[in-house]
Amino acid sequence: MWNSINRYYQSHPLRSILLVGLLFRLLAVIFSKGYAFTDDHYFVIEEAQQWIFQSNEPRSFFNPNIILEERLSHGALYTSLHYVLFQIYRLIGFDDPMNIMLSVRFMHALYSLWIVFLGYKIARHWGSPKTALQIAWILALAWFMPFLSVRNLVEVVCIPPLMGATLLFLKNNKKAFFGAGLLAALAFSLRFQTVLFSGMFGLILLWQLRWRDAITLLLGFGTGSVVLLGGLDFLLFGTPFYELISYVAYNATHAGEYPNGPWYQYIGVILGMFLIFPAANWLMASALKFRTYAVLLFPTLVFLLFHSYFPNKQERFILPVIPFLIMAGALAWNQYVEFKKSDKINRWNRFSMKFFWILNTPLLFGLSLASTRTAKMEAMYFLHQQRDANHFAIESTHRDYMEFMPRFYGNFWSPYQHILPNCEAPCFFDSVAHGVHPFPNYILFFDEDNLNERV
């Protein structure tokens, strides 16, 4: 059996890597439930479903009166795609929240394989088939990739169009530059900050005094942005580029209210994601071969410098450039190893990669099978299965803040109340008796702090 697998791999190496990558992504599809961050549920899944069931009535998709101030996280394109999908599911009677999310994770798993495929194609532009296959393996099976690939993270969803734009840019012809601009605009519509990356393509062309190619690239980017951002926002909000303007204005005044860290925070994140030794090799080699792989490294560096300077620092913000660091780092390091032809460096290279895969494998299995932030999800799904769940309250007397519930899993859009430290159970039920709040059919308890007392 092993010989047959090996023969197939030798005949179809990239296809084999894609199949193995798909296998681990399918594990994440099945077993990795919940959501990783607040944004990948509440600003995508929750809101798309809320557009449909607001006030228990369908809402028109093309409604210029929909002005949602909370929509200040991303462009409307990604959420709108989920809205269309959920509308289709609604029409055919496919309404179980868990099954809907299983299908969403599956679609993202298939989509994420473009990262592996495009990573191989970009690497082949510079490197040998051996190096390109090594990069494909890492993009397929890095311990964090399957888990992140099935999440609703725009920071990951924007990667394939960003890589596609890079591949077209490397083709170096007029039609390709226009297509690169279109794909860069798609990435920009998904994640605004990617303009820092793709914008560097234009600066590279201007540095080379290739004015016509730069204009062609800009035309493609402008066309895509007008349609995907300006046009969609006009249909939804009645104002072109409403989301982009609101996003910039919001972050200009509120960026300091979010998690911050030292300027070198993302260096530590990169070293951790690549398990130290390979990352150190790749960063060192990238510095030595910066000019050779400038198309990959210059945009990445600008992107990282911006996020290192910006006060709001969250690990997921740098995810769009992680594949580019892998590609550039592995290409530069392998070129360095081949140039030196040193037994000591070869031994270090073998040790580094063995160290990476030995640590990576258990992390890969563990995270691909891990469900995260499931307590609220399961509570809401329980309510979804109860016919009498007309209203619920949350006992939150152990906290100074209110819980934000993923109501998508309960298909439950009526208001809910909290029993808070400044108005505990007697106060709360007194207000219920006076008709201030409806009587709750269910009370939800989270955390184990003083649980028996609270019950």
Side-chain angles (χ1 to χ4, degrees), residues 384-429:
H384 171 74
Q385 297 172 308
Q386 312 307 309
R387 293 185 178 181
D388 61 341
N390 300 318
H391 183 72
F392 71 91
I394 301 173
E395 205 285 343
S396 300
T397 58
H398 64 306
R399 292 189 178 278
D400 295 326
Y401 60 86
M402 296 185 290
E403 300 284 356
F404 199 27
M405 297 300 293
R407 293 186 285 176
F408 166 84
Y409 288 100
N411 199 10
F412 192 105
W413 302 102
S414 299
Y416 57 91
Q417 274 70 47
H418 288 76
I419 304 174
L420 297 167
N422 61 349
C423 184
E424 298 190 1
C427 167
F428 176 82
F429 284 105

Side-chain angles (χ1 to χ4, degrees), residues 71-86:
R71 291 228 76 257
L72 297 175
S73 182
H74 315 297
L77 175 63
Y78 188 50
T79 304
S80 299
L81 292 173
H82 283 80
Y83 169 88
V84 172
L85 176 67
F86 294 166

Side-chain angles (χ1 to χ4, degrees), residues 27-241:
L27 290 176
V29 167
I30 297 168
F31 297 104
S32 187
K33 300 176 183 179
Y35 49 98
F37 305 93
T38 298
D39 286 15
D40 65 310
H41 176 78
Y42 290 99
F43 286 100
V44 182
I45 301 300
E46 193 85 353
E47 189 157 310
Q49 192 75 353
Q50 191 175 11
W51 285 3
I52 297 174
F53 289 105
Q54 187 72 28
S55 302
N56 295 320
E57 294 180 2
R59 300 178 71 175
S60 172
F61 180 49
F62 299 113
N63 184 349
N65 296 317
I66 299 176
I67 301 295
L68 302 173
E69 293 184 1
E70 69 269 24
R71 291 228 76 257
L72 297 175
S73 182
H74 315 297
L77 175 63
Y78 188 50
T79 304
S80 299
L81 292 173
H82 283 80
Y83 169 88
V84 172
L85 176 67
F86 294 166
Q87 278 284 32
I88 294 171
Y89 283 165
R90 180 170 173 268
L91 290 174
I92 64 176
F94 185 58
D95 59 359
D96 184 274
M98 290 295 189
N99 290 334
I100 289 174
M101 288 309 301
L102 183 72
S103 74
V104 169
R105 290 195 297 273
F106 178 70
M107 292 176 189
H108 282 73
L110 294 177
Y111 173 76
S112 72
L113 293 177
W114 278 106
I115 297 174
V116 183
F117 178 80
L118 292 170
Y120 174 84
K121 291 296 184 181
I122 292 171
R124 282 293 287 125
H125 177 80
W126 284 288
S128 65
K130 181 179 178 182
T131 300
L133 289 173
Q134 180 192 47
I135 289 169
W137 275 117
I138 295 170
L139 291 173
L141 298 180
W143 61 276
F144 49 85
M145 285 302 292
F147 174 83
L148 292 177
S149 294
V150 302
R151 307 267 81 86
N152 294 95
L153 280 168
V154 289
E155 292 85 357
V156 176
V157 175
C158 72
I159 294 174
L162 209 56
M163 294 178 76
T166 304
L167 184 60
L168 288 177
F169 184 85
L170 292 172
K171 289 184 180 296
N172 204 23
N173 64 68
K174 188 174 182 179
K175 288 183 179 180
F177 284 131
F178 186 82
L182 287 175
L183 286 175
L186 174 56
F188 175 54
S189 301
L190 293 166
R191 179 67 174 166
F192 295 140
Q193 287 86 341
T194 59
V195 72
L196 296 165
F197 186 99
S198 53
M200 295 307 104
F201 292 161
L203 287 182
I204 291 172
L205 292 175
L206 292 175
W207 179 263
Q208 298 170 346
L209 301 179
R210 298 166 61 181
W211 305 100
R212 290 185 178 179
D213 292 336
I215 292 172
T216 303
L217 181 74
L218 181 61
L219 283 173
F221 182 82
T223 301
S225 297
V226 166
V227 173
L228 297 173
L229 268 180
L232 182 59
D233 280 6
F234 180 76
L235 290 172
L236 284 172
F237 308 107
T239 304
F241 299 102

Side-chain angles (χ1 to χ4, degrees), residues 374-390:
T374 56
K376 295 179 184 178
M377 175 192 78
E378 290 169 351
M380 292 307 301
Y381 188 64
F382 170 82
L383 295 181
H384 171 74
Q385 297 172 308
Q386 312 307 309
R387 293 185 178 181
D388 61 341
N390 300 318

